[in-house]
Amino acid sequence: MSGKARNIWIWVSAGLLCLVIVAAYISAYYYMETQKYRQLYEETSRELSKFSGYILVNILIDYGNGSAVWHNNTAVVRGASLFEATKAIAEVTYERYPFGVFITAINNVAGNKTHAWLWYIWNSTTNNWDIGQTGAESFILKDGDAASWVYTKWA
Amino acid sequence: MGSRLLFSTRTLSFVSLMTAMNLISNYAMIGIPNVKFMDLFVFVSGYVSGVVPGVLVGVLTWLVYGTMNPYGFSFPILIACCVGEALYGVVGGLSARIGLAGSGESFVGISDAGFWRDNLKFGILGFLLTSIYDLFTNIISGITVGLTPLIAIINGVPFAVAHEVSNFFFFLFGCKTLIVTVRRMAFKGGEKYEWKS
């Protein structure tokens, strides 16, 4: 092989070496990225598995004076009642009776002779708030339920 | 008793000029990480004026740019950059000895295959030099912050690819043209100046 031909092949090899370097860099980079995201996926899956026994509900507390606070995506244990969910998001005072619990105050706003805390559940079929038909302790929440506590003047 | 200077005044002026050009372009392009004309200028300095002036341009540029840099200062990284940058000057000087740019005294038409063949050689050389520079500086930078060399190299891949690919194109399109331009500028009084480092 002549010197000139050898010279050409040296440069062709050098050019291919450049391509190999770029390919190696890109391969190594994406391999590491894959590993990183796989690890993140596994960590996230593990975290999410901890919540498999939980449901997410939305609870509104309406103080009746124009002030209302939403507690959206509140995680509660599957099978929890509205009473338990309310205790998780607010300071609740209640009394126990043979028929169930009666909530007397939420976040220090107490019922009296003219006002009481009533609860409602959102009916997505009629798009209305339906008043609770049972005690809050007896109402078992489902995933995605929206409930509200309204400080209501009843007398 | 006369004393012999290590470099001619012309060479020192050239080193200063190229260092200044490097600094101006580096600061102007500071917003584009790892894409700089500096490596090309250092290589051309080595090619045109010899190994030692080329190394000087690289080292002096980094001494200023690495010290007064908004991204911060790190002594080990500065030394690594100086050593890495010196490589461009060394290889530039050695390339001149083997006549990589051909006669290099005049432009040839862009339709000339020889022009593009020489340019391609410079592009490949620029890419490979930059690979060595990135490998070296990424490892030193990684060790400085407590990373293993492999992780340091992989973390630096996006920057290394940007650096190497941009330098490939800078060397491809700019190297021979710049060498010829610098040589043409070295005329004095209408007579061609024979460069002696």
Side-chain angles (χ1 to χ4, degrees):
Chain A
M1 187 184 283
S2 70
K4 192 176 178 183
R6 192 167 59 233
N7 198 25
I8 288 171
W9 285 110
I10 287 172
W11 284 105
V12 169
S13 305
L16 290 173
L17 182 61
C18 295
L19 295 176
V20 168
I21 290 169
V22 171
Y25 271 154
I26 292 172
S27 305
Y29 180 72
Y30 280 106
Y31 175 74
M32 292 302 285
E33 288 290 290
T34 307
Q35 293 297 101
K36 187 175 84 181
Y37 284 108
R38 178 171 292 165
Q39 192 179 347
L40 282 173
Y41 172 78
E42 285 169 2
E43 282 174 12
T44 308
S45 296
R46 272 199 301 276
E47 289 296 314
L48 284 174
S49 69
K50 294 177 187 171
F51 290 95
S52 61
Y54 286 78
I55 57 170
L56 299 178
V57 296
N58 306 308
I59 299 174
L60 169 68
I61 298 179
D62 185 342
Y63 294 92
N65 57 358
S67 172
V69 180
W70 273 102
H71 296 268
N72 289 326
N73 294 320
T74 302
V76 295
V77 178
R78 194 179 293 278
S81 66
L82 175 59
F83 173 63
E84 287 161 334
T86 308
K87 279 202 298 180
I89 57 159
E91 192 180 324
V92 178
T93 308
Y94 60 94
E95 291 171 1
R96 279 196 181 277
Y97 293 98
F99 57 84
V101 295
F102 180 74
I103 290 182
T104 53
I106 295 177
N107 290 335
N108 297 321
V109 178
N112 51 40
K113 287 179 182 173
T114 57
H115 290 77
W117 282 103
L118 302 181
W119 70 268
Y120 297 80
I121 188 80
W122 179 252
N123 185 330
S124 56
T125 309
T126 61
N127 282 343
N128 278 315
W129 289 104
D130 293 343
I131 192 161
Q133 299 293 321
T134 64
E137 194 183 33
S138 306
F139 186 80
I140 305 302
L141 290 165
K142 298 188 299 295
D143 191 35
D145 270 353
S148 65
W149 284 100
V150 182
Y151 192 65
T152 311
K153 184 176 181 181
W154 59 278
Chain B
M1 193 170 78
S3 62
R4 189 172 176 278
L5 293 173
L6 186 59
F7 300 114
S8 66
T9 309
R10 183 179 295 268
T11 303
L12 284 175
S13 304
F14 180 70
V15 168
S16 310
L17 181 71
M18 292 306 279
T19 305
M21 273 177 62
N22 270 343
L23 290 170
I24 290 166
S25 65
N26 277 3
Y27 285 118
M29 298 169 80
I30 203 154
I32 315 169
N34 275 24
V35 178
K36 302 278 183 290
F37 292 127
M38 168 170 58
D39 304 333
L40 173 64
F41 291 161
V42 173
F43 182 89
V44 169
S45 304
Y47 196 99
V48 171
S49 61
V51 169
V52 179
V55 168
L56 266 178
V57 171
V59 171
L60 287 173
T61 302
W62 264 110
L63 283 179
V64 178
Y65 182 66
T67 310
M68 289 185 283
N69 192 299
Y71 293 113
F73 167 80
S74 164
F75 188 69
I77 295 172
L78 174 64
I79 297 299
C81 290
C82 285
V83 172
E85 201 64 45
L87 183 70
Y88 291 98
V90 171
V91 177
L94 295 178
S95 300
R97 289 184 191 173
I98 61 169
L100 201 63
S103 64
E105 295 298 330
S106 60
F107 290 111
V108 288
I110 56 170
S111 58
D112 185 273
F115 176 74
W116 289 108
R117 192 174 57 239
D118 289 344
N119 279 352
L120 195 58
K121 286 179 185 176
F122 281 121
I124 291 169
L125 194 59
F127 185 99
L128 292 176
L129 283 175
T130 311
S131 299
I132 296 168
Y133 174 92
D134 286 336
L135 203 62
F136 177 63
T137 52
N138 282 348
I139 289 173
I140 298 292
S141 305
I143 290 171
T144 305
V145 297
L147 296 176
T148 62
L150 184 64
I151 297 296
I153 291 167
I154 290 172
N155 281 347
V157 163
F159 301 102
V161 170
H163 194 195
E164 287 155 28
V165 172
S166 63
N167 268 4
F168 171 79
F169 285 107
F170 291 158
F171 277 69
L172 175 71
F173 292 111
C175 199
K176 183 162 182 174
T177 308
L178 204 55
I179 287 168
V180 174
T181 305
V182 170
R183 282 182 167 167
R184 277 189 171 187
M185 286 169 70
F187 281 76
K188 189 177 178 184
E191 292 180 12
K192 185 179 167 191
Y193 171 72
E194 294 296 334
W195 198 284
K196 290 186 182 107
S197 58

